[in-house]
Amino acid sequence: MPSSSNTTVFVHSGWRCSSTYVWRRFQALAGVRAYYEPWHEQLARVTADTLLLETPDNSGLRHPGGAEPYLKAFEVVLDPAGGLRNFDAGFALDRFWIEPEASDLAQQTYLEGLVTAARIRGETPIFACCRTLGRAGWLKRRFGGFHVVLIRDPVQQWLSFYSLRKRPRPTYFELCHYVLLSEMAGGEALSRALLGETFDGVGGLDQRLAAVRRKLKRAPASVSFQAFLAVWLRSYLKALPDADLVVDVDRLARDQAYAREIEAAIEAGSGLKPDFSDCRAPAPHGIAPPVQWRKAAREVVDLMDLHQAIVGPRAPPILFRKLAPAFAAVTPAPVGSVTKLGEALGGLFGGSVVTRAPAKAYAATAARTDGSRR
């Protein structure tokens, strides 16, 4: 069994995918330093005071954890001038799908600092983040460690985004997916089909988020869902080949035998044994946005030319298992004439309903989309 004294654990997930819960279970163990969202752009401006301000109780995100600050683990790497040592806000979404062999000394130096800060205190570093699915291979090549990938029913995951909306404003999570899709290398045709225009990707993350917010704040629900699904698919196709353990968080919450198996697998791979006995599935979201799930999913898969990646002989089985039941199990709200008119008007304000792409668009999007144009 590997010793926890020389193991680094990475927990990779998307947003609203139970990563906060899993991080909390690692954080509860003795002898660990569990870093929460170490790629979040807010870390560029934290101070000793603000580090302790945000907690699950006051976040508004329905997270477990009470009054314990999310970011307390970072106190050992604070820069006296503000922010964390060697951290740059651009890390949050830049090079989101970085290739394993690519060089990025800035990110590498930052991570090495976090690992060292834990090691010199005799602690095991844990990294739990919603921004690393596309970086899993790069991180594994440089830092080794034990890599856990969390996956959730994509419809419920997206509904979790949507349920946090303060209408008509999209959530931060939706905006991040718009930015990622607009900057996906090789995905220009898909981005134009979904988002209605090409974004130039100029400026820092705040500026790019503001740009998609201006153009897509009234985009129909179908655009939000399809942009999410496109990023979801690309992210998991990048992460799953490098996973040492894949955790179905829907099953973790309802199957105690499965939870015990996951605990044992983590212990075997890392020497650490988090306790998932209190894991509970959230109630299904009661809202029913006007999205025709099956049609929307087929269109995204067609535009990304991913049929073989999902159902072919080398496809990760978990992808098909998560997609098929999810789209069959959710009944969309009736899409009547008023809704159709609203969707059409929404498209005029920065979003467009995806229709079947012409043949040349299929050819363009069949190109590699593993990287980022930034």
Side-chain angles (χ1 to χ4, degrees):
M1 177 186 299
S3 168
S4 61
S5 65
N6 58 16
T7 299
T8 302
V9 178
F10 293 87
V11 179
H12 308 283
S13 79
W15 288 275
R16 312 303 291 173
C17 196
S18 299
S19 63
T20 301
Y21 169 76
V22 173
W23 165 74
R24 284 286 183 196
R25 302 322 301 146
F26 275 105
Q27 185 195 41
L29 300 174
V32 307
R33 183 157 296 267
Y35 297 108
Y36 180 77
E37 297 292 351
W39 276 263
H40 198 298
E41 63 269 21
Q42 70 174 315
L43 296 174
R45 55 182 182 270
V46 293
T47 66
D49 291 331
T50 61
L51 204 65
L52 305 179
L53 291 180
E54 191 170 4
T55 70
D57 279 351
N58 65 28
S59 71
L61 295 173
R62 302 191 293 261
H63 285 163
E68 181 71 18
Y70 290 111
L71 305 178
K72 191 173 187 301
F74 293 103
E75 61 190 359
V76 297
V77 289
L78 272 175
D79 187 322
L84 303 186
R85 289 198 296 270
N86 300 312
F87 181 78
D88 185 276
F91 294 167
L93 296 186
D94 291 357
R95 308 195 78 184
F96 188 85
W97 288 287
I98 187 171
E99 293 298 322
E101 65 276 8
S103 175
D104 192 325
L105 293 179
Q107 283 199 68
Q108 186 170 334
T109 299
Y110 165 63
L111 263 292
E112 287 171 348
L114 296 181
V115 171
T116 299
R119 293 271 185 250
I120 63 177
R121 291 167 174 81
E123 299 167 331
T124 300
I126 312 292
F127 297 99
C129 197
C130 299
R131 298 163 177 80
T132 56
L133 286 170
R135 309 178 220 242
W138 184 85
L139 289 165
K140 192 168 190 175
R141 176 169 292 194
R142 277 150 190 78
F143 294 92
F146 186 70
H147 292 255
V148 180
V149 169
L150 310 182
I151 191 167
R152 183 184 182 187
D153 171 340
V155 170
Q156 287 299 315
Q157 186 176 343
W158 177 79
L159 283 172
S160 185
F161 297 176
Y162 198 83
S163 70
L164 293 170
R165 273 190 169 197
K166 296 179 180 177
R167 296 170 189 269
R169 291 178 292 169
T171 64
Y172 168 83
F173 311 112
E174 292 173 274
L175 296 176
C176 284
H177 282 81
Y178 292 149
V179 169
L180 287 171
L181 177 58
S182 72
E183 298 173 2
M184 184 190 292
E188 293 85 353
L190 176 60
S191 177
R192 283 194 299 272
L194 285 176
L195 307 183
E197 67 172 88
T198 301
F199 295 89
D200 58 17
V202 172
L205 181 57
D206 286 348
Q207 294 170 287
R208 287 141 60 204
L209 288 170
V212 296
R213 182 186 292 110
R214 284 193 300 272
K215 297 295 184 181
L216 297 164
K217 63 183 178 182
R218 292 184 178 85
S222 59
V223 169
S224 172
F225 174 71
Q226 289 180 307
F228 156 76
L229 187 63
V231 173
W232 188 91
L233 285 165
R234 179 60 58 201
S235 297
Y236 280 108
L237 286 169
K238 286 286 286 182
L240 289 172
D242 292 296
D244 297 303
L245 178 66
V246 177
V247 179
D248 181 340
V249 297
D250 301 301
R251 188 177 175 192
L252 186 72
R254 67 173 185 265
D255 185 338
Q256 283 294 308
Y258 178 73
R260 302 292 80 73
E261 291 172 9
I262 294 301
E263 292 168 358
I266 292 173
E267 184 177 26
S270 69
L272 300 168
K273 190 176 182 180
D275 179 4
F276 299 130
S277 60
D278 65 346
C279 188
R280 299 291 181 270
H285 292 281
I287 59 173
V291 177
Q292 297 178 345
W293 311 106
R294 295 186 185 90
K295 180 175 183 289
R298 285 197 300 269
E299 288 169 342
V300 171
V301 171
D302 284 350
L303 281 164
M304 296 181 75
D305 193 23
L306 291 181
H307 294 88
Q308 285 301 305
I310 294 171
V311 300
R314 297 185 179 181
I318 189 71
L319 270 189
F320 181 78
R321 289 203 303 271
K322 297 310 289 184
L323 283 167
F327 295 120
V330 178
T331 303
V335 181
S337 58
V338 174
T339 295
K340 290 177 180 177
L341 176 61
E343 290 264 293
L345 291 174
L348 295 176
F349 286 95
S352 57
V353 180
V354 173
T355 56
R356 185 163 293 279
K360 63 181 180 181
Y362 276 80
T365 54
R368 284 183 60 177
T369 57
D370 286 351
S372 167
R373 296 201 298 274
R374 284 186 64 81

